[in-house]
Amino acid sequence: MKERLQKAFARTGLRQTPQRHDVLAWLVRHKRHSTAEEIFEAVNRSNQRLSRATVYNALHALVESGLVRPVAVEGAASRFDATLDRHHHFICDRCGAIEDLAWFGLPVKAMQAAAGGRAVRDVEITLHGTCERCARGKTKPPPKTE
Amino acid sequence: MKERLQKAFARTGLRQTPQRHDVLAWLVRHKRHSTAEEIFEAVNRSNQRLSRATVYNALHALVESGLVRPVAVEGAASRFDATLDRHHHFICDRCGAIEDLAWFGLPVKAMQAAAGGRAVRDVEITLHGTCERCARGKTKPPPKTE
DNA sequence: CCACACTCTTAGACTAAATCTAAAGTTGGA
DNA sequence: TCCAACTTTAGATTTAGTCTAAGAGTGTGG
């Protein structure tokens, strides 16, 4: 694990500070999609002491170098995701949970046609719907009677 | 136009207040992807006087009823998008511009396989890369030399 | 091994986005 | 008309994220 992170840092040329290491390690270890605040608390709780600003700095550096990906969630604190493996996301309308989905390919031709002259670096796919827990009625049903 | 909005409201059963109308009208008329703040200023500038909270209320009601879609942008105020027509999005890494792309279909089977038992309501696709303006060097190049 | 330049981290102030609250205004149905 | 439910309002409040200035860490040339 240590080595995996070492390599990741080496590969991207990003200087590895203890703080950056801890942030990335947390994201790799915990597959949920944490907010900056959660990471801040979690890492501080364990060993290292690091400031809020450092969490943001580290996250930005990691995103910049591609080791971490921001998961865009509307109307809430953004979440982050170590992406040493490719995957898509599913967000539940009702409870807001973010789940990982297996990677599936895209219609590259159609996509490039739509993109026109733009240089595409990455594609982000998010499915929205109802997660299995919510579908089973584990959470309160939507207020609409209709 | 008026009628189009009328119909949209009727279709969803959402009560049409002047404020909601104005917010939706702005989004339909201006194809850029506005923030709540922009809408607040724009609508107030013209005719109606409406409070910040109302803009948020209206946007949430509209999103709820499907007339408007939030465009999740990490690390910035969320933007909104009247979607009476289907399309995807492109976000420029460098300048942050959000552009609409022509709709293209997805590999439905693979997608459903990845989704497993989850009920999918919608799919959101966002391409990331460099927009044409930035590619032409109209903005400062990235600091990396590498 | 030291000095210097550079990068990173820190605490806390600050800004901006979004929500909450309590009161007043609308609306439609009985 | 009257009532109950819903909507809007202004402004306070909460929360996310950035900024700043000072200090610590790192690495390279001497």
Side-chain angles (χ1 to χ4, degrees):
Chain A
M1 160 70 148
K2 270 255 160 81
E3 287 145 35
R4 197 153 158 244
L5 298 195
Q6 299 270 358
K7 262 190 197 161
F9 276 107
R11 177 154 35 86
T12 61
L14 186 66
R15 186 194 281 184
Q16 177 184 359
T17 68
Q19 293 83 353
R20 286 176 186 167
H21 174 94
D22 286 358
V23 168
L24 181 55
W26 169 266
L27 283 174
V28 171
R29 205 138 16 84
H30 303 265
K31 282 267 160 207
R32 37 172 146 184
H33 309 79
S34 312
T35 62
E37 185 64 22
E38 280 163 9
I39 299 170
F40 169 74
E41 283 171 15
V43 177
N44 271 307
R45 201 177 312 121
S46 52
N47 38 355
Q48 196 71 17
R49 169 137 199 76
L50 81 186
S51 88
R52 220 168 290 266
T54 301
V55 174
Y56 284 100
N57 286 345
L59 284 171
H60 290 162
L62 291 166
V63 168
E64 191 72 14
S65 67
L67 295 174
V68 161
R69 164 169 67 150
V71 183
V73 184
E74 47 90 19
S78 14
R79 297 176 168 275
F80 297 86
D81 197 10
T83 58
L84 307 183
D85 57 331
R86 281 195 121 178
H87 61 269
H88 302 308
H89 287 129
F90 178 93
I91 301 185
C92 177
D93 292 332
R94 232 184 285 179
C95 69
I98 303 178
E99 301 175 344
D100 286 353
L101 297 185
W103 173 264
F104 55 87
L106 287 170
V108 178
K109 281 207 169 165
M111 204 175 78
Q112 298 209 323
R118 288 167 271 246
V120 177
R121 174 187 51 78
D122 191 26
V123 188
E124 186 185 355
I125 300 190
T126 309
L127 311 199
H128 295 266
T130 311
C131 74
E132 299 189 76
R133 246 173 54 84
C134 285
R136 265 195 247 97
K138 296 296 188 195
T139 56
K140 64 165 192 245
K144 264 202 188 156
T145 325
E146 210 173 331
Chain B
M1 161 67 147
K2 268 257 159 79
E3 286 146 35
R4 197 153 157 245
L5 297 194
Q6 299 271 358
K7 263 190 196 162
F9 275 107
R11 177 153 36 83
T12 61
L14 186 66
R15 187 193 281 183
Q16 177 184 359
T17 67
Q19 293 83 353
R20 285 178 186 165
H21 174 94
D22 286 358
V23 168
L24 182 55
W26 168 266
L27 283 174
V28 171
R29 206 139 14 87
H30 303 265
K31 282 267 162 212
R32 38 170 143 187
H33 308 80
S34 312
T35 62
E37 186 63 24
E38 281 164 10
I39 299 169
F40 169 75
E41 281 170 14
V43 176
N44 271 306
R45 201 177 311 120
S46 52
N47 38 355
Q48 196 69 17
R49 168 136 200 75
L50 82 185
S51 88
R52 219 168 292 266
T54 300
V55 173
Y56 283 101
N57 287 345
L59 284 170
H60 289 161
L62 290 166
V63 167
E64 191 73 12
S65 67
L67 295 174
V68 162
R69 166 168 67 151
V71 184
V73 184
E74 49 91 20
S78 12
R79 297 179 168 274
F80 296 86
D81 196 10
T83 58
L84 306 184
D85 58 329
R86 282 195 121 178
H87 60 269
H88 301 307
H89 286 128
F90 178 92
I91 301 185
C92 178
D93 291 333
R94 231 184 285 180
C95 68
I98 303 178
E99 301 175 346
D100 286 352
L101 297 185
W103 173 263
F104 55 87
L106 287 169
V108 178
K109 281 209 170 164
M111 203 175 79
Q112 297 209 322
R118 288 166 271 246
V120 177
R121 174 185 53 75
D122 193 26
V123 188
E124 186 185 353
I125 301 189
T126 308
L127 310 200
H128 296 267
T130 310
C131 75
E132 298 188 78
R133 246 174 54 85
C134 286
R136 265 193 248 100
K138 296 296 188 195
T139 56
K140 66 166 192 247
K144 265 202 187 157
T145 326
E146 209 172 331

